Amino acid sequence: MNEDYLKGLNPVQYNAVTKIDGPVLVIAGPGSGKTRVLTYRIAHLVNSGVAPWEILALTFTNKAAKEMKERIGKVAGDKANQIWAGTFHAIFARILRAEATKIGFPSDFSIYDPSDVKSCIAEIVKGQGFDPKAYGVSDIYHRISMAKNCLISPRDYAADAERLLDDKQANMPYVYKIYDLYIKKLQRSGAMDFDDLLFQMHRLLKENPDNVVEKYRKKFKYLLVDEFQDTNSLQYGIIQLLVKYPGSPQNICVVGDDAQSIYAFRGATIQNILDFEKDYPNLQVFKLEQNYRSTNYIVQAANDVISHNKKQIRKKIYTEKGEGEQIKVIRAVSDNEEARMVASMIAELKLRHRMKNEDFAILYRVNAQSRVFEESLKGHRIAYRIYGGLSFYERKEIKDLIGYLRVIVNPKDEEALKRIVNYPTRGIGDASLSKLSLAAEVNAIPLWEVLKKAVSFDNSISTRAAKSIQEFVMLIETFQRWLQTEDAYEMAKKAAKLSGILDDLAKDKTPEGQGRIENVQELLDGIKSFVEEDTIGELQTEVQDKTLSSYLQNIALVTDSDKDEDDNDRVKLMSVHAAKGLEFKAVFITGMEENLFPSLMALKSKDSRAAIDEERRLFYVAITRAEQHLVLTYASSRYRFGKMQYNNSSRFLEEISSDCMEIKSNNETAKVGGMKLPSQIKMPLKTTSSQAPIQIKVSPVHLIIPGAKVLHERFGEGKVMNVEGAPDNKIASIFFGGDIGEKRIMLKFAKLQVL
């Protein structure tokens, strides 16, 4: 057995890799080599004689699973391809494909994405006659999702007094009824949503203890879980069913960091990792505390911040990468100035340290903050990319073609069926479709069965519509016959052409129309690549399945962090949540203000202590993305929800030792060594505003002329230096002095008083 790979491990990593039997918890601080430990541990299992197909490794992204397999392959060779490694959703979907009939689903069940789910819920709300303004689709979706992730069925929900009271107070007392109808609709459509891949997996195991549970307990001798702090109650419940039973060797290894638990809003619970030792008394714990990513000032700041959280597994992260540069704290007058200062600093660092755009990340608490940074980066001609934009798979033309592919594989898929039945337009109007949908509801059968005999269900359907429906059914049935012999690419190519999608898109001769055709071609190219590759990546099976059904599962399980990869040299703009797991040479954490970071929602939460602790963990994650340069910025004022707000700096800034920081305000710099933070970033913990707008009496625009002295509600007293532009769009250059300097202000929107 070649053990050279073990020589590069530090002592704690070595012990975590080589202790292969019994329950193991690896607490992995940021930048501590977590992925290396996890992958080498799996490789060591294989090299120690464990059959690769007896290993189950669960991750949170397909990207992580792919990277894991690639690394294992370098140590263990081709055996890596036989390991069951993938996301919770991908692995459970694979098991459900094999076992779905035991819980009343077809093996080729569809997987509904969030837009499908919302469409489904909206239809139920409309069908029940509920007020759509009161019954917000997104809110209902969230409530149902949280219920599933807490293992609460529709029946349990209807008996849960606390949930019912919460729904009633939110003016939608019938969520329990919508939940029940939604579940029945999914079953009738032969479909599952993302939460069902967990919920139905748990149900499958609970309802089949003798055959299914026993089968997979025997199959998976060793179970590993990455990012364990992000698991919810449902995921942990499934893990427990597979691992914790009388006589079990309890060969489970979980890797994670409680200090990076930031997904409570998705149902993740930090208690899983905090209580793991109680569940497994014979547990061995290994703490990876050496940070290989960041310099000392950054690591010290992270330690300072997280030390304020009460519930945690104590550890002390350290680094041997040197002191590095102090953390810069920038105070700006406004959010626009904050963005300008960030863009200027990026340009300066690029010049001084010969850094590339891709070395920088601008992080923010909420996505709405991105706009001002986009504008400033454009002004400095700095290329950037926003994470979290419209995904390729969310574009209309892509969803239309995939809708056809979904119906070909599973004609009971009602959401996909409704999407394509009259696209391209074939004379099947909304009125006809509504009648047929109602017939499906009344008879409790799939819409597809109604379409096949449309006239017998409703003789008021027009002759033209009936003929169009018949032709549509024949088209789908023709595709289904080909499905038996054609691979995914041939099926998709035929569907794109014969459905009329390509002809319909070709009618639009604009650049946008051409772009939509190119997008469809890009999808077809991707399917061709899927068919021709030797493996199918993260979702590889023992038999390399190139069918359309397999392809649809593959793309349905792509996670947010796997989407729309772009290796171009661009500054990355993203929310702090999206930055988890990434690292950059230079990181700007922006909007460090009370009510923004920590968020107002956290401050007003029923359990504000727990909510603020999670915000602090989020800040900890943000800090630890930085390798060499870390900049924290905040603005004294910013527009939010259409109103000007005046802000105190975040309480989190006070929690960092002052000797770590260098304070900047515009171009003035003050060294901070062994002193309390300056007054501009000190703040009382419960204050919400430190200054109020100046009260002014707005003067007519024609009085604002060069030389006039004016008063501005934010910038105070200034002198008009110049006025230019057309009468309806005059712009004044006004010098306010001090840190503010000269501002260009459009007068029709300005609030100025001539003194």
Side-chain angles (χ1 to χ4, degrees), residues 130-296:
F130 297 145
D131 182 358
K133 292 180 180 177
Y135 285 84
V137 168
S138 294
D139 197 0
I140 294 169
Y141 178 21
H142 175 71
R143 287 166 191 254
I144 291 174
S145 176
M146 292 298 279
K148 285 184 181 179
N149 283 302
C150 292
L151 267 177
I152 294 172
S153 67
R155 181 181 295 178
D156 297 332
Y157 197 115
D160 190 326
E162 189 174 340
R163 286 178 188 272
L164 295 179
L165 179 60
D166 187 48
D167 291 344
K168 189 174 182 180
Q169 289 174 341
N171 293 319
M172 42 183 181
Y174 296 109
V175 171
Y176 73 92
K177 187 174 183 180
I178 295 170
Y179 183 15
D180 184 53
L181 291 170
Y182 171 63
I183 290 292
K184 289 174 180 173
K185 194 176 182 71
L186 284 179
Q187 191 99 32
R188 193 169 65 245
S189 296
M192 295 187 194
D193 62 25
F194 267 57
D195 296 315
D196 280 325
L197 296 177
L198 305 179
F199 189 82
Q200 298 295 355
M201 177 67 183
H202 189 277
R203 178 187 162 203
L204 172 70
L205 296 177
K206 288 291 283 185
E207 293 181 5
N208 298 274
D210 297 327
N211 48 8
V212 178
V213 175
E214 198 59 34
K215 173 182 175 181
Y216 289 100
R217 281 175 178 171
K218 287 179 179 177
K219 181 174 181 61
F220 302 128
K221 303 283 176 57
Y222 289 84
L223 196 151
L224 301 94
V225 185
D226 190 17
E227 302 287 7
F228 186 64
Q229 76 282 347
D230 293 336
T231 54
N232 58 34
S233 302
L234 182 49
Q235 287 162 327
Y236 191 33
I238 295 168
I239 292 166
Q240 294 284 67
L241 285 170
L242 292 173
V243 176
K244 200 172 182 187
Y245 55 91
S248 168
Q250 298 187 348
N251 292 328
I252 179 171
C253 172
V254 301
V255 182
D257 181 7
D258 58 293
Q260 297 185 66
S261 178
I262 59 172
Y263 293 118
F265 68 95
R266 292 183 187 169
T269 171
I270 193 173
Q271 291 304 131
N272 286 351
I273 193 167
L274 294 179
D275 295 342
F276 194 66
E277 193 164 4
K278 295 178 185 175
D279 294 335
Y280 295 90
N282 298 325
L283 185 71
Q284 291 206 53
V285 180
F286 301 98
K287 295 181 181 180
L288 307 181
E289 297 176 302
Q290 182 173 355
N291 181 299
Y292 292 93
R293 176 188 300 156
S294 309
T295 54
N296 189 58

Side-chain angles (χ1 to χ4, degrees), residues 286-331:
F286 301 98
K287 295 181 181 180
L288 307 181
E289 297 176 302
Q290 182 173 355
N291 181 299
Y292 292 93
R293 176 188 300 156
S294 309
T295 54
N296 189 58
Y297 279 126
I298 294 168
V299 170
Q300 184 184 334
N303 282 334
D304 288 343
V305 168
I306 205 63
S307 67
H308 287 76
N309 274 14
K310 188 175 179 181
K311 281 188 174 182
Q312 61 174 294
I313 298 170
R314 295 287 171 182
K315 57 187 174 298
K316 186 72 173 178
I317 306 301
Y318 68 95
T319 183
E320 295 178 356
K321 294 198 67 159
E323 285 297 289
E325 290 191 0
Q326 284 181 306
I327 297 164
K328 292 178 175 59
V329 179
I330 294 179
R331 170 185 178 269

Side-chain angles (χ1 to χ4, degrees), residues 692-708:
I694 299 167
Q695 297 298 314
I696 65 171
K697 185 177 180 182
V698 179
S699 299
V701 170
H702 71 269
L703 296 180
I704 300 169
I705 57 175

Side-chain angles (χ1 to χ4, degrees), residues 470-489:
Q470 185 181 24
E471 289 172 352
F472 172 76
V473 168
M474 290 172 62
L475 176 67
I476 298 299
E477 288 178 337
T478 301
F479 285 142
Q480 287 178 313
R481 284 194 294 275
W482 290 335
L483 193 61
Q484 310 307 314
T485 56
E486 303 284 11
D487 63 29
Y489 174 67

